[in-house]
Amino acid sequence: MPAPSTTLLIEGSFSELADEFAQYIDALRKSDASPLQAEISPLLDPLRQQEQSDAEPDRKQRDEILKKLVSAATVLNSAPESEIISAYNLLVHLVHHASEPDMFLSRICSYLAKPISSSPQFGPSLAISILSTIFNTLPATDSSRYHVLLAIVAVIRQSAQGVAFEALKPQLTAQLPTWLAAWDLDEEDVQRLHLAIVDAAQAAGDQELAQTHVVQALQTIPAADAASKEARDLAVRALTSALSHPAVFDFTPLTASDAVQALRSSDPTLFELLEIFTADTLDAYEAFVAATPLATISGGALAPAADALQNKMRLLTLASLAASTPSRSLPYAAIASALRVPAADVEKWVIDTIRAGLVEGKLSQLRSEFLVHRATYRVFGEKQWAEVQGRLMVWRRSLENVLGVVRSERERFVREGIQAAQAAEEAAQGKADKKSGDRRQRRDNTQAAAAPSAQPQPQPAEVTAE
């Protein structure tokens, strides 16, 4: 699997290693063809002289040798299992000496994308290991990585290795946009890679990732080519996949595509079905199916998914019903009527809609109603903006009422606080006055006790001598 960059360390000069590889190819081919070593020997002699004299190697000479080596390397897929990785590593090392390695690496990747005949059981794992080594020895911005990744995805798809795909999937999710930006590919190559990932994801049973990349492949189609046959085929493929996928409820990426919009003319019934799933309800869907059987649309591709389509339409209908309910309270009877289901099944459908992420709320069995906390708008136009404006106004009035209550309570609190402070001050003043009066009384009593008595005192009797 692609990982941080690595380096191949192989000792020897280019001429020595090329001669060694040619001998190995001759040993594998035996007498089926003329000796490769003898064929490249005249080309190796000048290179040996340059290497001995430390002169600048002739890259064109190396390219001529590599053309012969890479052309003969098809026989490597029949090499013994224990030798395949080392043989390919040697070839990759030699190719890195080319003036343009990309023209050779793409061909090597095509070899590895084919079955390894010497190891039917472990061949895919060996091929993925070699391709991962090639990918990680290349600089992050090297566009040659594109061919290597394409080959890795092809091997995974052909071998149906779920484990290998699960190992690759996180890197496709996290790194692929960065890789594509660094490689600066044209739109056709980007589309080819996305479709290869779609095939590998479907082989591994990952329908969600497959749907993501088929939409991304659709987005690579230029507006000028939106009406072409190739664009039409891809648009039909993306649309039928999205409609039948049980977890796809947002069709905005599809309706934004020029190629899908072109279906309005080339496939009007399929486009009408898309519009129903985008914004309409179960009533419109059932009326459409009654007039246009699914078996007659897109070669009958949607016919096997008839039940899934109806179930999805019920979930979308409930989402629309929840989003358009001003009171945010949906009676079970209204849900049962809109979804064409028995009242006993209402809770099941509400739970399924919640699991799909279309609504949030709470079921009230006692009151037989669904209390909506959040609902997803399937389309957002003038009507929806008007609904949002109305709800914002209601919210504003509620906030104004709350602010009025808070303001009056604050004023009452301040007023009561002032009154309490005044009462406390008066109480404190009265207590102080009482204490002052008590002190004066005690002082007066003390002074009265210390003053002379005002009552007349008895005088001593005078004795007169006769």
Side-chain angles (χ1 to χ4, degrees):
M1 294 296 103
S5 297
T6 57
T7 304
L8 282 177
L9 298 177
I10 300 177
E11 296 183 357
S13 65
F14 178 86
S15 59
E16 293 172 345
L17 296 175
D19 187 62
E20 179 183 340
F21 185 79
Q23 292 181 41
Y24 183 74
I25 294 295
D26 288 337
L28 289 176
R29 295 195 304 186
K30 298 178 181 179
S31 59
D32 294 343
S34 60
L36 179 61
Q37 185 182 20
E39 190 176 346
I40 68 170
S41 182
L43 300 173
L44 288 175
D45 291 337
L47 283 179
R48 290 192 182 99
Q49 296 176 4
Q50 293 171 4
E51 292 168 353
Q52 291 172 359
S53 62
D54 294 331
E56 183 68 22
D58 186 352
R59 289 190 175 273
K60 291 184 178 180
Q61 192 80 358
R62 286 181 175 180
D63 289 347
E64 291 300 321
I65 296 171
L66 287 171
K67 286 179 182 179
K68 297 182 180 297
L69 295 180
V70 173
S71 296
T74 54
V75 73
L76 287 180
N77 283 19
S78 62
E81 182 181 307
S82 59
E83 300 174 1
I84 288 178
I85 291 180
S86 58
Y88 266 108
N89 284 346
L90 176 55
L91 179 60
V92 171
H93 175 75
L94 291 171
V95 165
H96 281 316
H97 290 80
S99 58
E100 294 183 11
D102 187 34
M103 63 181 176
F104 298 114
L105 288 174
S106 59
R107 193 167 182 180
I108 294 173
C109 291
S110 68
Y111 296 161
L112 289 166
K114 297 177 182 179
I116 296 179
S117 58
S118 61
S119 181
Q121 182 177 0
F122 299 105
S125 299
L126 293 172
I128 291 173
S129 176
I130 297 166
L131 289 166
S132 298
T133 299
I134 298 173
F135 187 93
N136 297 325
T137 55
L138 293 170
T141 57
D142 194 331
S143 60
S144 298
R145 278 186 157 196
Y146 163 77
H147 300 289
V148 183
L149 181 59
L150 203 60
I152 291 175
V153 174
V155 172
I156 292 175
R157 177 180 61 82
Q158 293 168 5
S159 60
Q161 289 198 352
V163 175
F165 181 79
E166 288 301 319
L168 179 63
K169 180 179 175 179
Q171 299 184 61
L172 292 176
T173 304
Q175 298 294 331
L176 186 59
T178 304
W179 290 341
L180 293 177
W183 298 341
D184 193 23
L185 305 172
D186 59 31
E187 293 172 337
E188 185 177 352
D189 286 337
V190 174
Q191 182 184 127
R192 182 184 177 193
L193 179 58
H194 282 306
L195 292 179
I197 295 173
V198 170
D199 293 337
Q202 289 177 339
D206 193 333
Q207 298 299 327
E208 184 175 354
L209 187 67
Q211 178 60 30
T212 298
H213 283 276
V214 76
V215 172
Q216 291 179 2
L218 192 64
Q219 293 170 349
T220 64
I221 300 175
D225 299 333
S228 65
K229 181 181 182 303
E230 293 76 12
R232 182 259 175 193
D233 293 342
L234 182 55
V236 170
R237 178 181 180 181
L239 184 49
T240 54
S241 174
L243 290 173
S244 58
H245 195 292
V248 175
F249 298 98
D250 183 11
F251 299 95
T252 304
L254 290 172
T255 55
S257 168
D258 292 324
V260 172
Q261 288 294 328
L263 295 179
R264 191 188 297 270
S265 300
S266 61
D267 296 76
T269 54
L270 181 60
F271 191 84
E272 183 182 354
L273 185 61
L274 171 62
E275 289 182 318
I276 292 173
F277 273 85
T278 300
D280 229 318
T281 61
L282 182 64
D283 291 340
Y285 173 76
E286 291 182 343
F288 172 84
V289 173
T292 311
L294 295 176
T296 63
I297 303 174
S298 300
L302 292 173
D307 293 339
L309 292 174
Q310 189 174 42
N311 291 342
K312 180 187 287 191
M313 200 65 237
R314 283 195 171 101
L315 301 182
L316 292 171
T317 300
L318 180 54
S320 295
L321 190 63
S324 61
T325 302
S327 64
R328 293 298 187 181
S329 175
L330 278 176
Y332 283 9
I335 298 175
S337 175
L339 271 57
R340 304 281 195 275
V341 296
D345 294 341
V346 166
E347 292 184 359
K348 167 188 173 298
W349 285 103
V350 172
I351 292 172
D352 287 345
T353 310
I354 293 174
R355 286 174 177 170
L358 296 173
V359 297
E360 291 178 4
K362 182 179 179 181
L363 288 166
S364 176
Q365 294 180 334
L366 182 62
R367 300 171 60 181
S368 296
E369 65 179 8
F370 174 52
L371 303 176
V372 182
H373 297 164
R374 181 193 66 81
T376 301
Y377 281 106
R378 295 164 59 193
V379 293
F380 211 89
E382 184 177 350
K383 179 182 178 181
Q384 286 70 37
W385 278 116
E387 290 180 5
V388 170
Q389 183 182 19
R391 288 173 183 170
L392 287 175
M393 292 301 295
V394 171
W395 187 37
R396 179 180 177 179
R397 287 193 293 270
S398 298
L399 289 178
E400 288 175 348
N401 293 334
V402 171
L403 288 174
V405 172
V406 170
R407 189 179 298 110
S408 63
E409 287 297 312
R410 181 181 178 183
E411 292 174 353
R412 184 180 62 81
F413 177 78
V414 172
R415 185 171 59 253
E416 290 178 353
I418 293 174
Q419 293 173 354
Q422 291 176 348
E425 184 179 356
E426 292 174 357
Q429 183 65 37
K431 189 175 182 181
D433 292 344
K434 183 179 180 182
K435 287 182 179 180
S436 177
D438 291 345
R439 284 196 299 268
R440 283 197 303 270
Q441 183 67 34
R442 286 195 299 271
R443 186 169 59 251
D444 293 344
N445 292 341
T446 302
Q447 290 175 353
S453 175
Q455 295 179 357
Q457 298 295 325
Q459 297 295 325
E462 294 182 0
V463 177
T464 304
E466 296 274 341

